[in-house]
Amino acid sequence: MWRRVIAVVAVLGLQAEATTKNPVSNADMCKLAKTLDGKVLLSTATCCVGYARPVNYLCPANTGDETFAKTTAQYLMDCDGEIPDGVIIAKGPGDVSKALAYAKAANVAFRVKSGGHSQACLSTVKDGVVLSLESMKKIEYINHDDGSVFVTIEAGVTLTQLRADYIANSDVYFPHGLDPWIGAGGHFTGGGVGHLVRKFGFGSDFVVGMDVVLPSGEFVQVFEPEYEERLTGRLSVYNERDRQLLWGLKGSGHANFGVVTKFWMRTIPRPAYVVLGKYSYNIADKTSVEEYWNSMCGYYSKAPADETAEERNLLVWPMVSNNREGPGFLMRFIIYYIPDNNSTAQGALDEATPVVNAFLTHVNGLTLHSGGIEAVAESGQFPNLVDPSVSRYAPTCVSRIVPSREDVCNRDGWIGKFADFIYDEISLFPSRGTTLFTYFDKWGGAASLNDANFEQTSVNTRNAYGTIQFCRIPLNVATRDTNAMINGEGGTKDFNDSVLADVGNGWYLNFLDTLATEPEQIYTEPAVYQRLQKVKNVYDPTNVLDRPLGVPLPGSEFLADSTLALVGASAPTGQDYCKLSGTLEGAVLMPMMGCCGSSVVPPGFPCTADPANGNLSYAESHNRVLVDCDDLKPNAVIIARSALDVTKSLKFIKERDIDYRIRSGAHSQSCASTCSNCVVISLEKMKGIGYVTSDTGATFMGVEPGVVLKELIADYQDHSDVYFPHGLDAPVGLGGHLGGGAVGYLTRKFGFGADFIVGVELVLGNGKFVQVYDQDYEEQLLGYRRAHNDEDQDLLWAVKGNAHANVGVVTRYWMRTIPRPSYMVKGFYLFGVQSAVHLRSFWGSVCKFYSVSDESPKAKNLIIWPFVRSGNQLMLQVFYLPDRNDTASGALAEAEEVLHEFLVGVTAPLITQSIQAVPDKMQFADILNDQGGRTTYSCTSRLVRKREDVCDNWSFLDSFADRMWYEMVNPVVDQTFFAYFDPWGSAATTNDPDFVKSSFMGRHAWGTFQYCRTPVGAVTREALWATVDTFDSLIASQISDSWYVNFQDRTTTNRSQVLFVPEVNERLQTIKAKYDTTGVFSSPLTVTLPERGW
């Protein structure tokens, strides 16, 4: 989504954000409409003047499912003065992302709404644009194997629609409110207060996941870890930022950190019967109002922990309002009782009656007007949600959080103030032209007891006593005076100033009251407010979602601590690894004995002394790394056998904030595939190889990252007549090899192995498993084509040449192939060296042969690896891939013709040679016969970016020849050396279409130069390094300023030496910001996230 945002901005031709908001441009809105699945509605009749009007761009004169007047009529009447210039009707997250991009780039005032029920009119804005989610109304049910039922609801679902749907399609529900017009988006991000609060908690407590579009335009899914695998079949990598985002959205969302497009809800069984009722009392005088309030205070006098389960089942709403059946006003107690015994009407009533009677004993000195309770079947449980017949909502309200019982019960005459105001206003009815109602919403109960859920939500008023609300309602909507209802005598501000001023210091979070002026009045707990600011700073650092009363960015006093710290992060214990192993298909290996303590050792958790069940031991796995890396021993090696194992391993590691590495073959020269005091995720057991033949006859190979080159060659020789470019080191794993370009003997003729990647399966930084294919090949592989966007191809581009765990862990590569030749020519020429002159002429022959930019086809078939080595020897290792490869004689004749051109300039005496045409099954006999063992050499390698760097560079040529001759005549005890050149060019550099599809930075280089030392006896690693470093400082530094990206050399000191092409590095950073937003994949030489504002 990140790149899609950029694309939208470019289409609209908009500039960066300014400090003041710009007017809405109809022309820009017209352009935006063409990109949406939804619609754009404008208030002006000439909305598309000068432009072709798209079908999804409606002006007031148009008719259809949505018109401007229809959608803006959903707002409360208090908001009639806040009508926007335009409304964007989103049909999905893609539309939301584009709308956010438009709002940021155009710098227009911007609001988000689902139901339009905000008391503070925060879901609309005058002279601006509203993003409406009203058309996103899908509801779906997920039946899990364990019997659990989950519900997904999109943000535009209203409570009426929600209730009707679950009555018709399920026997479950979850806590929610009772106002029929409220949309899910604002309701559940604001807590989800309703009649089930005391028994079950808030609606936000039942949110276990969300689909969110972030202010950057990125679409993400965040889940509570204990529910995600049951819902999606996978586990994401959870770092604290994921949890903090979900925490912030569950109770304090309100478009503060992102736009929620879907909620994932856990559910509870819906009762067959509930008990509803109402007891109404006459108002005789002020004293009767006081006694009425005292009744509520008397019953709700216990601390939540002291209440019985039956008492928590009862919710009583005290309400004063006009008598709809007759004259005057009544004081009412609205009864909701949710019985445990609810299978029959009589059982429900029998359980509720004594609890309700216990409440009624606190009602003293009041004259009963009418009352009673009844058991109500399912279809009648929510009468005010059945038919929301009122089209516009007219009340003007003020509401306050009541922090504690003492705030409203016998506190310095507060009840007297309340009674005076209410009785006086009733006495003046109907002279003010309005009626009134006031009610108290009691919380507590389970909402205050559920500490675990409290930690997972940002409802900062969970432990409050409840809320009190006062509203004015016009007697005649046509003559409604909003200003008088708010600011006039007896209005909401009057009630606030004279009655509510002493009730705590906070406002009703869910309604975001019209009289609140500062965010601190909404987010009343300082610790919660500061934590929300930190979340804001991470997910909306440029304040795209700016609005009145929204969570602001933190000031400078918080910025020093703006990183969301890990909660409870600590080094994992053996017991922790034991638990992890029980969830894996693979194994967890540790170096110490007794690693599971007294626990039963699971089959996948072998310790050093217990390599059970055919699994690797720790030592066996670690011994695959280069000897140079031997002392870098991790605390544990996690052997993954599937993509899900990779996800679970990353989750385990990131939750504990521990360092880690990922490896396939462990062949990294820079020891990047291991580390000390860390964890290694090893893909060595992921060795699947498969073949797919398309309808066109093309053959594709699917290879997992743990396959080593020896296994790859053996497999395709036995099962096919195709292959693809790769290297020749038997123990190299395909994960790092293909992800790092895959340089080898076929490079000059066909290009790099990375050029043959046409699809990947990988686990992203957030744990999401994705499959990405080259658009040109997907239908051949899958049999169909999926919808593609630029992000898919960007991700594939990054993986093809710069995988190395930069944006994700590749768990399978899909490769196109080419026919394998019947014969190829291979062998060597060995020359003696008698002086430095022979070394110069030898190198001159290399330069001369590889000097023609427009090489002949046959020259491209030849790759020569020139070796200088101990024993005063020069060796040319030869590979020739003939066009005529059907016979041995034809292949050899073609090769010898080309080799003659090369050998003309070599003056050193020939000692021996061996050149032969090798049949298919014998072409890689040396690799297939490799018995393994540990790689012992230490190397430095430089990328030769231009021929001139080593051919016209006399300083290099003289230094190289003199140094090699010096080492030949002055051998180092217990060490040998070799140096060689790997010429690339040809197909590798001329294949421009593949270059565009590959991020391998070395593509346009001339080749690589490498120097290595190998121990013969008891030589220390430090001694090897010393001679390697001497060569590097004297010789290699004269070649160029960059390093061989595939090897990631040991002497590399910073990322710029590996990621040396600026435009490629910048593009990789852009993709990194999209797919690994929080830097899950971070090691010394990986791509970094771009600086903020970059």
Side-chain angles (χ1 to χ4, degrees), residues 12 26-42 46-59 62-63 66:
L12 298 177
N26 293 345
D28 287 342
M29 292 286 276
C30 221
K31 293 177 185 178
L32 174 64
K34 295 178 181 179
T35 71
L36 301 177
D37 294 325
K39 294 180 173 67
V40 169
L41 315 175
L42 282 195
T46 57
C47 47
C48 274
V49 170
Y51 293 89
R53 178 180 296 168
V55 294
N56 54 347
Y57 186 84
L58 307 179
C59 303
N62 291 82
T63 59
E66 291 107 353

Side-chain angles (χ1 to χ4, degrees), residues 801-865:
N802 270 290
H804 290 138
N806 275 317
V807 292
V809 180
V810 178
T811 57
R812 179 177 283 113
Y813 292 95
W814 289 98
M815 313 295 297
R816 62 185 176 92
T817 63
I818 48 179
R820 208 165 62 246
S822 299
Y823 289 89
M824 66 177 287
V825 176
K826 60 185 296 189
F828 66 90
Y829 292 88
L830 186 63
F831 299 90
V833 178
Q834 298 172 350
S835 69
V837 173
H838 287 153
L839 293 168
R840 290 188 183 90
S841 70
F842 173 75
W843 195 262
S845 298
V846 173
C847 290
K848 182 179 179 180
F849 184 78
Y850 290 120
S851 64
V852 181
S853 58
D854 186 18
E855 295 175 305
S856 68
K858 290 181 179 179
K860 295 176 183 178
N861 294 348
L862 174 65
I863 183 165
I864 294 177
W865 284 334

Side-chain angles (χ1 to χ4, degrees), residues 246-258:
L246 190 57
W247 170 85
L249 291 170
K250 289 171 61 172
S252 296
H254 290 133
N256 276 317
F257 322 111

